[in-house]
Amino acid sequence: MNRKLSSLSNQKPITRIGLILFLIILLPALFFSIYELSSLSENEKVIQSIYNNQLDAILFSVNQYSEDIVGTWATKLNLALIDKQKNVSEFQKRIDEFLSLNTSINLIFFTDSIPNQDIDFFPTKAKKFSAFNVETAKKIIFANESKTRRLFTYKQGGYQKFETLQDSTVGNNSVIMFLLNAKYSKAKICVIIFDPNVFIRQILLPKLQNVSQQKFTITVFNNSNNRIIYSTEEIDINKIEQRKSLWLLPDYSLGITLKGETISGLVNARSQFNLALIVLLNIVLITGLWLAYKSIRKEIELAQIKSDFVSNVSHELRTPLALITMFAETLELERVKTEEKKKEYYKIISQEANRLSKIVNKILNFSKMEAGKIKYHLEETDLNNLVENIFNTYTYHLQSNGFVFSFQKEENLSPVKADKEALSEAIINLIDNAVKYSDTKKDITIKTGKEKESVYVEVQDCGIGISKEDQKRIFEKFYRVTSGNLHNTKGTGLGLSLVKYIVDVHKAKITVDSNPGKGSSFKISLPVKI
């Protein structure tokens, strides 16, 4: 009855919030839609701006692709340096293979942050680099000292950056410098000298053909002489509408032009697009309004559940405290005459203190979980040993309370990665849950077993069971089943929430199989260590 009254009291604020959401979201959206529908014919200047932005995005993607290629080079060279520490011949083999696959590269050399005589050169068979020596390499590094320092600054910040260099000794070739780590005490400088024309034709060409999509003409040309290096279609260089410099090749630019389109056609296409966008926007807003309403409604319900939780916890704490106080005072006043009675009172005090400790620990653990302060240490764990320890610990206690407690173990289980303490807590919570909701038939079984790629631990009871409807929510924080006799059972509503959190941390899954009056079975399945 109290729950129904609480539900009715929540209806007015929910209705009021729904009305407010309608006024602050849906009405502005409606006015905005009317305004946009009245101005669908955008002017030519706006269309041109949108068009330019689209072209910029395509040019950006080409530039990004070229940088990704160099990033791949850096990764492969880094791996080669790692091999050098183990096997020099394997290192040379990797470099030779790398150069044979990347024919645009004419020379690679490695050096420390302060160049010395120990500089590794790896030229191709091109004769023009046969005279390249240590002094030439030093000259390049020292001439670009500021860029070198900048690379080390980026490296300290955790970023991999590339710098293009200018040097007259390499002729028409391009030079790029970056840092490699490869487990050295200090980062290594790597300099690559490559032919930009070959790089464009062999590496950028497939990307240019892909992004053109038969809608654009994309051109690469030399800035110094306006000579076209490559173009997806024949074009007059003076008719290129949009152009950007290549990041890794500053002396070259990308140009892009729309094919077979007019501004008028773009206006019509844009108008139709805007109309579709407005319809979609309204659908999204209405959907968002509904989701927001549902979310707020859920939060109000959660607030009510939290209120019930505080009430439950207060009662749960008050009961053991009252019993401890009462029996302690009785003993203190020496009203108990027999030793047998004293032992009975001491036992009750101990039991209630343990019960109080469990409640407080559960609340503290939940608080840490909510704050993200719990740290887990996953290690190789034998599930059978872990469960057997729990079984041995709880057997006497459960049997003393009239329970039949058994352990069915499957041998030769594969080890799992787990935090032993956290996983034990989850299993203990499931056992406590089984004890709590067992009625006349006090029979609890704990099992271990294996499935396809996982092992599991399962806790079964013959208690009062859980309905299908409530099974969907039992892992929600603070939630307690209120149907049947479950509301009379003591608890905080946190146990299964903690179990679910621990299961998620272990990238495991938990399933429940239960029917009212027929008991429940909770199974935690953990992935096997690979």
Side-chain angles (χ1 to χ4, degrees):
M1 183 64 179
N2 290 336
R3 191 172 181 85
K4 289 182 179 179
L5 289 173
S6 175
S7 178
L8 289 171
S9 66
N10 287 334
Q11 294 303 312
K12 286 186 179 180
I14 290 174
T15 304
R16 186 164 59 252
I17 289 169
L19 182 60
I20 291 171
L21 286 173
F22 174 79
L23 291 174
I24 65 175
I25 296 179
L26 209 54
L27 279 183
L30 183 61
F31 286 123
F32 172 76
S33 299
I34 294 171
Y35 170 77
E36 284 295 312
L37 287 170
S38 65
S39 58
L40 280 177
S41 297
E42 298 184 58
N43 59 51
E44 187 175 311
K45 183 178 179 180
V46 174
I47 292 296
Q48 187 64 47
S49 174
I50 295 171
Y51 165 63
N52 289 340
N53 288 338
Q54 290 174 335
L55 299 186
D56 278 343
I58 293 172
L59 294 176
F60 177 88
S61 72
V62 175
N63 267 321
Q64 186 65 57
Y65 176 77
S66 63
E67 191 162 282
D68 290 343
I69 292 296
V70 178
T72 304
W73 289 356
T75 301
K76 291 181 178 179
L77 292 173
N78 209 55
L79 291 173
L81 278 180
I82 293 174
D83 285 341
K84 184 181 180 182
Q85 300 172 49
K86 303 174 184 177
N87 189 323
V88 175
S89 63
E90 182 65 25
F91 168 62
Q92 183 64 53
K93 181 180 176 182
R94 274 183 174 269
I95 294 294
D96 291 341
E97 182 182 351
F98 176 80
L99 289 172
S100 66
L101 292 174
N102 298 279
T103 54
S104 63
I105 298 176
N106 288 318
L107 182 138
I108 304 171
F109 70 85
F110 303 97
T111 183
D112 294 323
S113 56
I114 302 176
N116 50 41
Q117 296 298 320
D118 186 21
I119 299 179
D120 296 325
F121 292 97
F122 298 95
T124 59
K125 296 178 180 179
K127 293 182 179 179
K128 55 185 173 182
F129 285 98
S130 58
F132 202 94
N133 54 34
V134 171
E135 294 305 318
T136 309
K138 285 183 179 181
K139 179 183 175 184
I140 292 176
I141 298 298
F142 286 127
N144 295 275
E145 188 176 356
S146 61
K147 292 184 178 181
T148 305
R149 286 200 301 269
R150 192 157 60 216
L151 284 176
F152 278 93
T153 301
Y154 283 133
K155 193 72 174 177
Q156 290 172 357
Y159 299 100
Q160 171 72 292
K161 293 289 183 179
F162 308 100
E163 290 285 356
T164 56
L165 311 181
Q166 300 292 332
D167 195 276
S168 58
T169 60
V170 297
N172 294 326
N173 286 272
S174 295
V175 185
I176 189 166
M177 177 174 67
F178 50 88
L179 298 183
L180 299 176
N181 207 336
K183 299 183 179 179
Y184 281 83
S185 58
K186 293 183 180 179
K188 279 275 189 180
I189 298 173
C190 177
V191 177
I192 296 179
I193 301 173
F194 63 99
D195 188 325
N197 293 339
V198 177
F199 180 85
I200 291 167
R201 291 194 178 97
Q202 290 187 353
I203 297 176
L204 288 190
L205 188 147
K207 178 67 175 178
L208 297 177
Q209 291 175 337
N210 181 51
V211 299
S212 67
Q213 299 176 349
Q214 305 301 319
K215 294 182 179 180
F216 307 95
T217 298
I218 300 180
T219 307
V220 183
F221 56 94
N222 192 311
N223 294 330
S224 60
N225 55 21
N226 268 354
R227 186 171 65 87
I228 294 176
I229 306 301
Y230 171 77
S231 181
T232 55
E233 298 279 346
E234 286 190 21
I235 190 172
D236 183 348
I237 197 169
N238 297 315
K239 293 182 179 179
I240 295 175
E241 301 172 72
Q242 198 88 344
R243 55 182 70 192
K244 288 271 186 181
S245 292
L246 281 167
W247 295 344
L248 297 178
L249 305 171
D251 293 333
Y252 294 79
S253 289
L254 280 172
I256 187 167
T257 306
L258 190 66
K259 294 197 302 185
E261 287 285 349
T262 63
I263 295 298
S264 174
L266 287 173
V267 170
N268 292 331
R270 184 66 180 178
S271 297
Q272 293 174 6
F273 174 77
N274 276 352
L275 181 59
L277 189 62
I278 290 168
V279 173
L280 180 62
L281 177 64
N282 280 282
I283 292 172
V284 170
L285 284 173
I286 292 170
T287 305
L289 179 64
W290 172 245
L291 291 175
Y293 175 76
K294 285 186 67 177
S295 177
I296 292 171
R297 183 174 181 174
K298 186 175 181 179
E299 287 299 319
I300 292 174
E301 290 176 353
L302 182 59
Q304 182 60 44
I305 292 173
K306 285 183 178 179
S307 177
D308 294 340
F309 165 75
V310 172
S311 177
N312 288 334
V313 169
S314 299
H315 178 74
E316 288 288 305
L317 294 174
R318 191 182 298 117
T319 302
L321 283 172
L323 289 172
I324 291 170
T325 303
M326 181 181 71
F327 286 109
E329 287 178 352
T330 303
L331 291 167
E332 185 180 14
L333 295 172
E334 298 183 352
R335 292 176 181 173
V336 183
K337 302 304 179 183
T338 65
E339 286 299 321
E340 184 179 350
K341 204 65 177 176
K342 285 182 180 179
K343 287 181 180 179
E344 181 184 344
Y345 284 8
Y346 287 138
K347 183 178 180 181
I348 292 172
I349 291 172
S350 176
Q351 288 174 344
E352 293 303 316
N354 286 334
R355 178 181 160 196
L356 186 62
S357 176
K358 284 182 180 180
I359 295 170
V360 172
N361 286 337
K362 191 171 289 186
I363 294 171
L364 289 175
N365 286 341
F366 180 78
S367 177
K368 289 180 181 178
M369 179 191 79
E370 287 280 276
K373 293 181 179 179
I374 301 179
K375 293 183 179 180
Y376 295 97
H377 304 284
L378 303 182
E379 57 184 331
E380 190 173 288
T381 302
D382 186 314
L383 187 61
N384 276 335
N385 287 345
L386 185 142
V387 175
E388 194 162 13
N389 289 335
I390 296 171
F391 175 76
N392 293 333
T393 302
Y394 274 76
T395 298
Y396 175 77
H397 171 72
L398 291 181
Q399 288 178 350
S400 299
N401 287 277
F403 280 88
V404 176
F405 189 38
S406 58
F407 176 29
Q408 297 178 10
K409 175 172 65 174
E410 180 162 337
E411 301 293 345
N412 301 319
L413 291 183
S414 300
V416 294
K417 279 280 190 177
D419 184 299
K420 294 181 181 179
E421 185 176 339
L423 187 56
S424 296
E425 182 182 357
I427 297 169
I428 290 168
N429 275 337
L430 292 180
I431 295 172
D432 288 343
N433 201 61
V435 171
K436 196 182 300 179
Y437 294 111
S438 289
D439 196 8
T440 55
K441 190 174 181 181
K442 297 184 176 183
D443 192 343
I444 298 175
T445 302
I446 185 166
K447 299 179 179 180
T448 58
K450 53 188 174 183
E451 295 170 330
K452 292 181 180 178
E453 295 181 354
S454 64
V455 296
Y456 67 83
V457 55
E458 185 174 7
V459 178
Q460 296 177 341
D461 65 65
C462 298
I464 55 183
I466 309 167
S467 67
K468 294 294 182 184
E469 182 180 350
D470 285 319
Q471 287 177 31
K472 299 174 183 177
R473 300 191 61 188
I474 56 175
F475 295 109
E476 294 179 13
K477 53 189 176 184
F478 309 119
Y479 182 77
R480 297 192 73 220
V481 178
T482 56
S483 59
N485 295 323
L486 291 177
H487 66 282
N488 295 322
T489 306
K490 296 176 182 179
T492 60
L494 296 180
L496 290 180
S497 297
L498 287 167
V499 172
K500 184 65 168 63
Y501 180 81
I502 292 169
V503 167
D504 289 343
V505 167
H506 286 77
K507 293 181 173 57
K509 66 177 181 178
I510 182 167
T511 54
V512 58
D513 182 16
S514 181
N515 288 297
K518 296 183 179 180
S520 303
S521 172
F522 288 85
K523 181 193 285 187
I524 297 175
S525 299
L526 298 126
V528 174
K529 179 188 173 185
I530 299 174

